[in-house]
Amino acid sequence: MTTRRLRLLSANIQAGSSTRRYSDYATRSWSHVLPAGNKRGSLDTIAQLAGEHDIVGLNESDPGSLRSGFTNQTHYLAQRAGFDYWSHQPNRRVGNVASSANGLLSRLEPREVVDHPLPGRISGRGVLIAHYGSGDDGLTVAVAHLSLGAGSRASQLAFIAELLHDHPHAVLMGDFNCSADSPEMQALFRDTRLQRPADTLPTFPSWRPQRAIDHILLGDGLGYIAAKALPAAQSDHLALSLELDVPDQALR
């Protein structure tokens, strides 16, 4: 069986804001609602990292509100990093001041991209799914940003498990806000062909990583090569970079 080597990146980019210590959440809270700070410079740094990959999943990418200077950050990153294909899924909006989206950048042309709102006590979470190749064995890449509450995460993971339940060539990546060992994650591993991470890589907080809450999960038909955590400019999360082998049949 012939395969193709792909590089994937999952990054919570915090809308280009800078957080280097816990106190910044209070002292730099203005940066989450105002188009100030060096957000454009942060995006350019993230674009350099994204450009080294084939498929990129983004969390907290502003789709165009006051804090981003009404810039669609996913589109901006696609242009700066040279991706021909991009999609985004706006999820949470606070007036016209701040907005957040899941995003996808891809060098491969998806056959279809669909988005689903996720259940939860508070609305505003979603999963963005790109399908490559043809048939049920095609590569499926899902980008999600899960809730802070365990109860909401459990219902969200059950929903995602229904979407991905029997796909051997599925990828689920994003900010899960929990570790792979959390109780709510067990249903995902039980009801899908997604595998537990081969490596535990802490990603939060970025200045002193202690919690592995960002993940790139692979279906059992995909070949894991290696993964590493990398700075995503000054975001409070590190990004995850992963290499994998995909069967050619999953991309045809």
Side-chain angles (χ1 to χ4, degrees), residues 166-182:
D166 199 33
H167 288 283
H169 304 129
V171 175
L172 174 61
M173 61 176 157
D175 177 358
F176 287 54
N177 274 311
C178 66
S179 72
D181 294 329
S182 296

Side-chain angles (χ1 to χ4, degrees), residues 42-55:
S42 292
L43 291 178
D44 289 342
T45 299
I46 294 167
Q48 287 184 324
L49 175 62
E52 299 171 0
H53 296 79
D54 300 295
I55 299 176

Side-chain angles (χ1 to χ4, degrees), residues 22 178-181 200-215 229 236-238:
Y22 280 114
C178 66
S179 72
D181 294 329
T200 300
L201 299 174
T203 56
F204 183 86
S206 58
W207 56 91
R208 191 180 297 166
Q210 297 174 337
R211 301 178 61 203
I213 61 175
D214 298 88
H215 307 291
D236 57 350
H237 288 247
L238 295 179

Side-chain angles (χ1 to χ4, degrees), residues 7 9 46-47 50-51 53-58 61 73-79 81-88 103-108 110 128 132 141 143 173:
R7 295 193 71 194
L9 183 75
I46 294 167
H53 296 79
D54 300 295
I55 299 176
V56 178
L58 302 171
S61 178
Q73 293 181 336
T74 304
H75 184 209
Y76 180 85
L77 289 171
Q79 289 185 314
F83 285 89
D84 290 332
Y85 308 101
W86 68 278
S87 298
H88 73 143
L104 176 81
L105 313 177
S106 181
R107 302 200 184 283
L108 289 69
L128 181 66
Y132 300 84
V141 177
V143 181
M173 61 176 157

